Amino acid sequence: MEIVDGQIISDHLCMHCNQPIAEEARYCNHCGVLQALPDIDDAVRKQQRLIILAVFFGAHLVICLISNFTKLTHGLVPLLIVDGALSVFTLVYVILFWKELKHLFRWKSFSIGKIASYASSAVIGAIAVNYAVKWLNRTIFDSESYYYFAFSHLKYAKLITVITVALQPAIFEELAFRGVMQEGLNKITDSRQAIFISAFLFTLLHMSFISFFWLMPFALWLGYVRMKEETIWYGMIIHFCFNTTACFLEFFELNLF
Amino acid sequence: MTDSQPVPDAVVIADCKCCFEKTNLSDQFCKSCGFPLQGTEEQQNSFIYERGYKKMQVNELTNKASRASITFYIISGLMFISALVLFFINVRNEEAVPNLIVYSIIAVLFLLLGVWSNKKPVAAIICGLSLYVVLILLQAAVDLSSLASGFIIKILIIAGLVKALISALEAERIKKQHNI
């Protein structure tokens, strides 16, 4: 909207009387009709969307619980089944809500400088988190855990560790939480609350008490980047760099180079 | 999107009597709240009455949503008490201190969600409800029989939180639509 010679030049028209109205107008200043709020669902649609998102989260939760408590992650084939189930389930949702999600796959803000700065921040963050978590685990729980040991008996163990710990989560967790979940929540509530909720649910799903303290800020950062950049690609790069750094730090600690 | 068209008399002259936003000379209605600026006194009074009714509706829904915060305080209190009881029962066990820390932090988390739900009820209720369900399922994964203990209370808490969430969402929608 712009003002020329005391007149408003507007691109927006009232949905009822077709008169030009200000872009930010909730009501038409000519006929008084409430303009549609395209970013907000009505009450019934909100409840339907909540149920859809609850089913999405619930299915992820059940798969994670089964894999954690039945030791299904021990061995490559069971792990592939679990990861495959989560990935397929996420893809089904992405396909079902493609119209709403396709804008996230555009990359208008593409910049090598941004990629480098996000990637280096992720690497620095991963190094700091790795040492802090190791210290906390040793101090409080008197234990240490390594992703690599789940695959150490396999050929190409390091490559498999990077694929399952870094690549698969970077793609599918981003699609699930910064894609399906955050976009769905954006239609229910405002974008800040959507970032917080999707970050909280992402953290909960990892079912690790110690991880809560770094996963929550990490997920908030990913959610913020996705909102600011209006694309899911930067989040995937950050997530991949973060997890890959964690894998390489393990290899380094275990003298695998 | 269509071709640009001019709107005459874009001079700000007064505040809307209803929502106090700036209005233009030519405006028939306030673009912020829909108040009939050029309407008769009866039309204007009727609009203010209806808006007052919407405000009452929002207050009622907000009150319903605020029950969630009481639920979170109760969960927090119960969790803290059970953390202390478990600690003193298993005080010689090496897991006693880590368990006390974990349960206490979860109790604090529920307490914070309770406080936050007064400001941002939608986010706080979704997070609190998810946390509560995850804790129940984690407990059930370790010991399936734990699902049965306090089953009715668990269902009542979940149903109460869902109802509070629906009220919070509706209150948020009315507030946003009517600029309240």
Side-chain angles (χ1 to χ4, degrees):
Chain A
M1 185 185 81
E2 57 179 317
I3 297 173
V4 178
D5 296 334
Q7 292 190 325
I8 298 172
I9 306 298
S10 174
D11 289 331
H12 289 257
L13 299 179
C14 168
M15 53 184 275
H16 182 249
C17 69
N18 243 13
Q19 292 280 327
I21 56 169
E23 193 179 334
E24 70 281 3
R26 278 194 173 86
Y27 291 83
C28 172
N29 49 329
H30 309 284
C31 68
V33 166
L34 175 68
Q35 302 302 298
L37 299 170
D39 57 329
I40 313 171
D41 283 346
D42 63 26
V44 178
R45 289 264 302 153
K46 268 185 179 179
Q47 285 181 29
Q48 285 172 349
R49 199 178 283 276
L50 257 185
I51 293 166
I52 289 166
L53 293 177
V55 170
F56 183 72
F57 178 70
H60 271 77
L61 184 62
V62 169
I63 295 171
C64 289
L65 276 171
I66 290 169
S67 74
N68 278 352
F69 285 89
T70 55
K71 306 295 178 197
L72 261 181
T73 44
H74 287 208
L76 186 61
V77 176
L79 182 78
L80 285 178
I81 293 171
V82 170
D83 280 354
L86 288 170
S87 308
V88 168
F89 192 71
T90 302
L91 277 180
V92 169
Y93 261 72
V94 170
I95 292 165
L96 285 175
F97 294 94
W98 178 246
K99 273 188 182 173
E100 289 177 8
L101 294 171
K102 66 179 176 187
H103 71 99
L104 292 175
F105 293 89
R106 292 186 196 120
W107 201 345
K108 287 178 191 166
S109 61
F110 178 85
S111 142
I112 298 289
K114 273 185 186 177
I115 292 174
S117 93
Y118 283 135
S120 51
S121 307
V123 170
I124 293 165
I127 294 169
V129 164
N130 185 69
Y131 286 110
V133 168
K134 286 255 175 336
W135 177 80
L136 273 174
N137 268 328
R138 277 195 292 263
T139 311
I140 300 178
F141 298 105
D142 199 21
S143 69
E144 277 186 80
S145 62
Y146 292 92
Y147 300 117
Y148 176 77
F149 289 150
F151 316 105
S152 55
H153 59 291
L154 298 167
K155 205 179 174 186
Y156 308 117
K158 281 189 274 187
L159 180 67
I160 293 168
T161 306
V162 172
I163 290 172
T164 53
V165 175
L167 187 64
Q168 191 272 344
I171 297 170
F172 291 99
E173 286 182 3
E174 286 312 300
L175 277 179
F177 287 90
R178 258 60 64 184
V180 175
M181 192 63 83
Q182 197 170 321
E183 190 61 27
L185 289 165
N186 269 338
K187 301 276 190 283
I188 292 172
T189 183
D190 60 76
S191 55
R192 281 166 191 268
Q193 290 193 74
I195 290 174
F196 189 90
I197 298 165
S198 56
F200 192 86
L201 297 180
F202 172 80
T203 308
L204 266 187
L205 212 61
H206 283 76
M207 291 181 209
S208 165
F209 182 74
I210 287 286
S211 301
F212 190 89
F213 297 97
W214 64 266
L215 264 175
M216 188 68 193
F218 179 58
L220 285 172
W221 181 38
L222 288 169
Y224 173 74
V225 169
R226 173 242 182 268
M227 182 190 76
K228 188 183 152 205
E229 305 290 355
E230 291 176 358
T231 182
I232 205 161
W233 298 114
Y234 287 120
M236 283 184 181
I237 290 168
I238 292 171
H239 204 143
F240 178 74
C241 291
F242 192 95
N243 288 13
T244 306
T245 307
C247 291
F248 276 79
L249 285 171
E250 274 197 3
F251 301 158
F252 182 72
E253 276 180 51
L254 297 168
N255 290 320
L256 296 171
F257 288 114
Chain B
M1 246 6 121
T2 57
D3 294 331
S4 295
Q5 293 183 33
V7 183
D9 303 323
V11 185
V12 174
I13 53 139
D15 293 342
C16 167
K17 278 184 203 168
C18 190
C19 69
F20 310 108
E21 286 286 325
K22 301 283 180 209
T23 59
N24 299 331
L25 185 65
S26 63
D27 289 351
Q28 296 289 318
F29 296 89
C30 170
K31 64 181 185 299
S32 177
C33 69
F35 180 72
L37 298 162
Q38 315 286 347
T40 61
E41 200 180 333
E42 193 187 338
Q43 283 172 329
Q44 291 187 342
N45 286 340
S46 145
F47 182 90
I48 289 170
Y49 174 79
E50 266 182 49
R51 193 171 160 84
Y53 175 72
K54 288 285 175 202
K55 276 185 185 169
M56 269 173 55
Q57 229 181 335
V58 167
N59 284 342
E60 203 176 306
L61 289 165
T62 309
N63 281 340
K64 279 184 188 171
S66 71
R67 285 177 201 159
S69 68
I70 298 163
T71 311
F72 289 144
Y73 294 147
I74 292 169
I75 296 172
S76 168
L78 289 175
M79 195 149 274
F80 194 63
I81 291 166
S82 52
L84 283 175
V85 170
L86 279 172
F87 174 74
F88 286 115
I89 289 172
N90 306 308
V91 74
R92 288 175 195 280
N93 194 322
E94 60 179 19
E95 287 182 356
V97 174
N99 280 343
L100 178 70
I101 294 170
V102 170
Y103 281 109
S104 302
I105 290 175
I106 295 171
V108 170
L109 204 57
F110 273 113
L111 187 71
L112 293 174
L113 285 169
V115 174
W116 196 42
S117 68
N118 291 316
K119 284 191 171 178
K120 295 277 181 193
V122 174
I125 296 170
I126 293 178
C127 292
L129 179 61
S130 314
L131 178 62
Y132 185 67
V133 171
V134 168
L135 288 174
I136 290 173
L137 291 177
L138 277 173
Q139 222 177 354
V142 177
D143 173 18
L144 197 61
S145 63
S146 70
L147 263 185
S149 71
F151 183 74
I152 294 171
I153 294 172
K154 285 172 187 165
I155 292 294
L156 284 175
I157 287 175
I158 292 169
L161 289 175
V162 170
K163 272 182 80 174
L165 175 61
I166 291 168
S167 301
L169 282 170
E170 186 58 8
E172 211 172 72
R173 188 184 66 84
I174 296 174
K175 272 200 265 184
K176 215 163 190 176
Q177 267 194 352
H178 298 272
N179 208 10
I180 292 171

